[in-house]
Amino acid sequence: MWGGSSTYINVTFDYQTSHGQVAMAIYEWRDVKYFGVATSESDTSLPKTYVCTTDAVRSRLCSSSDVGKFIFYSQDGTPMEQTSFWTASVTLNQTSSSRRRSGTAPIRVHHLPRQEDGVLNPSPAGLLSYTSPIQYQVRKTGYYCVAVVPVTVISSTTRQVSTDIIPYHPTYNGVVLFKNTFDGQLSAADYPKVNFYLFMFFAYALLACGWAWLCYKHTLDLLPIQYYLSGLVGFMVVEMAANWVYYRYLNAHGKNTAAVLFLFVVAILDAGRNALSFFMLLVVSLGLSVVRETLGGTMIKCQALAAAHFVFGVLYAVGIVELELESTSALILLLFVIPLAFTLSGFLMWILHSLTGTMTQLAARKQRYKLKMFQRLYYILLATVVVIAIFFVVSSYSFSARLAEDYAAKSWRARWWLLDGYLSILFYVAFWSIAYLWRPTENNRR
């Protein structure tokens, strides 16, 4: 959750299907170390004891005043009030029983917990009788968890179920609402994509206007490659706008049939942009219209590689949105990543090899101006390859720990950057650097 002045977590229990007593806790993941106590100091194989029961009291794992609550245990002496930990023993049977007897509808009123001694979310003493949604205020950005466990209270003297406290086996049904700093259906991990793609749309549109002005100013001197580049520039502006609209729609309406169809459209546009960009860069590197008139059979190979890159790009774009990284096996993830990595590597290696041959040919002909342009293109691509290699190392290291218990808690804020933001900005910088070399000028024909 992105913390703010109006963010909170609401836990609402259904009055008709919830009765009995439950232990409830809300906390930020950084404070999970305070959650539960070691059952035995001698036998470390035993799991922790998380709920304070009468047996836990007899074992001196918690005090009798905390029966029915989750156990807070601090080895460093940190008091609960200085952490995000909140716990309560919530009784549901009294409210639900009385309402079933009276036949009146429940009053659902959001209320703010009282702030005591500077504590934002004080844990209540004794039993908390549920009458309205329980609200936990969130002021700091973090990964927040809600735990609810039904408990049966046992008499400490007779070791029998106390019918005064609970006359039936506890059950519950409810809803947890995470109210973020924004309104909508997107998770806090994905919401930054909305503003990011809006920013990228304006960034592309701004430079596209500059490109359009140069094309208008030097209309009579335009080369065929500049017509192709103009089409690609317009395509990328539309593609960035489509990405922004898609995430806006997803935030407003959630995942539905229309959102899935929209996802495929965006994935096709994104994969088409990448495939067309690398295809054009490849034929330019081969010297089309500059060193040679036609590429012959090599053009078919270039088109086949671009088509394969397009298909794998669509699968990758859909996969990173639909797959859950924490639960998906490594083999499934590799099926989406490896094919795209191969076609991408094939493009880059072929482009660099072709550039080397073209520059050698231009140097032999002593065409220094064209040679200088291709040398600058070579340096841009070389720097891009280095950055991509660093990116894959960093992302592989990050995703290698995806099955760890704390992976989601530690990576949720940066995951969108690794999956979308980083490569989008790299592509933007590389593309416009290359477009600047082939920009329309009055000396195009010469």
Side-chain angles (χ1 to χ4, degrees):
M1 295 186 66
W2 300 102
S5 59
S6 60
T7 54
Y8 56 83
I9 300 172
N10 259 18
V11 181
T12 305
F13 292 98
D14 182 72
Y15 288 99
Q16 302 301 323
T17 59
S18 302
H19 52 74
Q21 188 173 330
V22 295
M24 180 175 165
I26 304 176
Y27 60 97
E28 205 278 325
W29 183 261
R30 285 174 295 183
D31 293 331
V32 71
K33 59 186 177 181
Y34 303 120
F35 200 63
V37 63
T39 303
S40 174
E41 295 182 359
S42 58
D43 189 356
T44 57
S45 63
L46 293 176
K48 279 186 173 183
T49 299
Y50 291 99
V51 179
C52 184
T53 62
T54 50
D55 286 338
V57 173
R58 291 189 187 93
S59 300
R60 297 184 179 180
L61 300 178
C62 59
S63 63
S64 58
S65 60
D66 293 328
V67 170
K69 299 181 180 180
F70 279 94
I71 298 175
F72 174 87
Y73 180 72
S74 174
Q75 292 182 337
D76 56 8
T78 302
M80 185 188 301
E81 293 75 15
Q82 295 181 11
T83 69
S84 63
F85 200 89
W86 178 93
T87 183
S89 180
V90 183
T91 177
L92 306 170
N93 59 302
Q94 295 176 357
T95 302
S96 58
S97 299
S98 61
R99 292 193 181 276
R100 282 197 296 272
R101 288 194 300 267
S102 62
T104 58
I107 301 174
R108 300 176 183 270
V109 181
H110 296 289
H111 69 281
L112 293 175
R114 184 166 54 91
Q115 186 168 338
E116 299 177 356
D117 301 327
V119 181
L120 187 62
N121 297 292
S123 297
L127 288 175
L128 175 63
S129 181
Y130 179 78
T131 57
S132 60
I134 299 172
Q135 188 172 94
Y136 178 96
Q137 299 182 69
V138 177
R139 296 295 175 265
K140 294 182 179 180
T141 298
Y143 191 84
Y144 288 86
C145 308
V146 177
V148 180
V149 174
V151 294
T152 301
V153 178
I154 305 296
S155 172
S156 59
T157 57
T158 64
R159 296 188 59 82
Q160 299 294 323
V161 177
S162 176
T163 56
D164 294 334
I165 300 179
I166 174 170
Y168 30 66
H169 184 73
T171 61
Y172 72 92
N173 185 24
V175 176
V176 179
L177 169 66
F178 294 86
K179 178 60 177 69
N180 238 297
T181 53
F182 59 91
D183 294 324
Q185 303 294 320
L186 280 176
S187 65
D190 288 331
Y191 185 75
K193 295 179 184 179
V194 177
N195 295 327
F196 173 76
Y197 282 113
L198 178 61
F199 169 78
M200 293 301 296
F201 165 73
F202 284 118
Y204 272 103
L206 180 63
L207 291 184
C209 291
W211 179 270
W213 165 249
L214 290 177
C215 290
Y216 173 78
K217 185 178 180 180
H218 305 292
T219 303
L220 299 178
D221 292 311
L222 291 179
L223 297 174
I225 186 64
Q226 291 166 340
Y227 283 104
Y228 299 147
L229 282 172
S230 298
L232 184 57
V233 167
F235 184 90
M236 288 189 294
V237 173
V238 173
E239 193 257 342
M240 287 295 118
N243 273 281
W244 175 62
V245 173
Y246 166 69
Y247 282 105
R248 286 275 296 180
Y249 179 87
L250 199 62
N251 186 56
H253 304 284
K255 290 185 178 181
N256 52 33
T257 303
V260 173
L261 295 176
F262 208 161
L263 171 62
F264 277 98
V265 172
V266 170
I268 290 172
L269 290 174
D270 182 68
R273 176 201 64 176
N274 293 333
L276 289 174
S277 300
F278 284 116
F279 172 76
M280 290 184 58
L281 190 56
L282 178 58
V283 296
V284 167
S285 301
L286 288 168
L288 181 65
S289 301
V290 177
V291 179
R292 61 188 73 179
E293 293 292 335
T294 179
L295 298 180
T298 305
M299 176 62 76
I300 299 178
K301 297 179 181 178
C302 297
Q303 293 171 346
L305 182 59
H309 191 72
F310 169 75
V311 172
F312 296 143
V314 172
L315 294 177
Y316 174 80
V318 173
I320 61 174
V321 174
E322 294 296 322
L323 294 179
E324 293 288 341
L325 294 180
E326 294 85 356
S327 58
T328 305
S329 66
L331 179 61
I332 298 298
L333 291 176
L334 290 177
L335 290 177
F336 285 89
V337 175
I338 294 299
L340 183 64
F342 271 115
T343 54
L344 177 60
S345 301
F347 260 124
L348 293 177
M349 295 302 294
W350 196 356
I351 289 170
L352 292 176
H353 176 74
S354 302
L355 269 179
T356 303
T358 301
M359 288 189 296
T360 301
Q361 192 170 358
L362 290 174
R365 294 181 180 181
K366 296 183 179 180
Q367 295 179 329
R368 296 182 179 87
Y369 184 83
K370 294 180 180 179
L371 176 61
K372 188 176 181 179
M373 291 180 62
F374 279 93
Q375 286 176 337
R376 290 176 177 174
L377 175 60
Y378 180 85
Y379 294 144
I380 292 173
L381 294 180
L382 189 61
T384 302
V385 171
V386 173
V387 174
I388 288 178
I390 296 173
F391 162 76
F392 273 111
V393 171
V394 173
S395 60
S396 298
Y397 174 78
S398 174
F399 295 145
S400 64
R402 73 189 185 284
L403 299 180
E405 187 180 28
D406 59 349
Y407 174 73
K410 291 182 177 180
S411 66
W412 69 273
R413 277 185 282 190
R415 188 185 306 175
W416 75 273
W417 176 254
L418 290 176
L419 295 176
D420 292 273
Y422 193 85
L423 287 179
S424 295
I425 291 180
L426 175 61
F427 184 92
Y428 177 86
V429 173
F431 175 81
W432 285 108
S433 299
I434 295 170
Y436 179 79
L437 295 178
W438 267 264
R439 69 191 184 278
T441 66
E442 59 185 8
N443 297 319
N444 281 169
R445 292 296 174 182
R446 290 181 292 174

